[in-house]
Amino acid sequence: MITGLDHVAIAVTDLEEAIARFAEDFGIPLSGREDVPTEQTSTAFFPLSGTRIELIHPMDGQGPVAASLAKRGPGMHHLCFSTDDIVADMARLQAKGYRFLSEAPKPGAHGTQVVFIHPKSTGGVLIELAQHPVDGGHS
Ligand code: CO
């Protein structure tokens, strides 16, 4: 079951500049940074109103975020719903015809399991589903 808006992700070409914008100009405290090697992505998190803004940047200039920046430039990248059962939600949505970018959930930031729904299935919005570990939760 989808339980909330986990985060909104923004692809950035200059992570330090973007962190300064959100932290200093907008005054939203940076809560942490994390590299996600499975996605070749460096991330920075700004919790706000029970959700988070997540800046995403390619690790080592490669990976899916690098491809997105090359194709579409910087900007809104995806939104993420939290779920309490990612496998069940994936199966339920697949049964309705939704296409996913991977066959099964993969490790994401904060110890989550994540999977992405293809934007062609969702009216052009890349949507991630994330299940947090039972003992964990938000950072
Ligand atoms: Co995400």
Side-chain angles (χ1 to χ4, degrees), residues 32-114:
R33 303 173 63 151
E34 185 174 345
D35 288 338
V36 185
T38 52
E39 293 293 329
Q40 293 179 279
T41 302
S42 298
T43 61
F45 302 100
F46 296 86
L48 189 68
S49 299
T51 184
R52 293 193 311 274
I53 295 163
E54 177 179 326
L55 305 180
I56 56 176
H57 183 264
M59 278 178 72
D60 309 320
Q62 295 184 2
V65 179
S68 174
L69 286 169
K71 192 172 174 187
R72 286 178 288 274
M76 286 284 306
H77 187 269
H78 66 268
L79 60 81
C80 177
F81 293 131
S82 46
T83 168
D84 57 8
D85 189 339
I86 194 168
V87 172
D89 278 327
M90 195 175 172
R92 180 171 62 82
L93 291 168
Q94 280 177 322
K96 291 177 180 288
Y98 286 83
R99 289 171 49 208
F100 285 78
L101 297 190
S102 60
E103 296 294 316
K106 296 195 281 191
H110 305 299
T112 52
Q113 290 288 311
V114 305

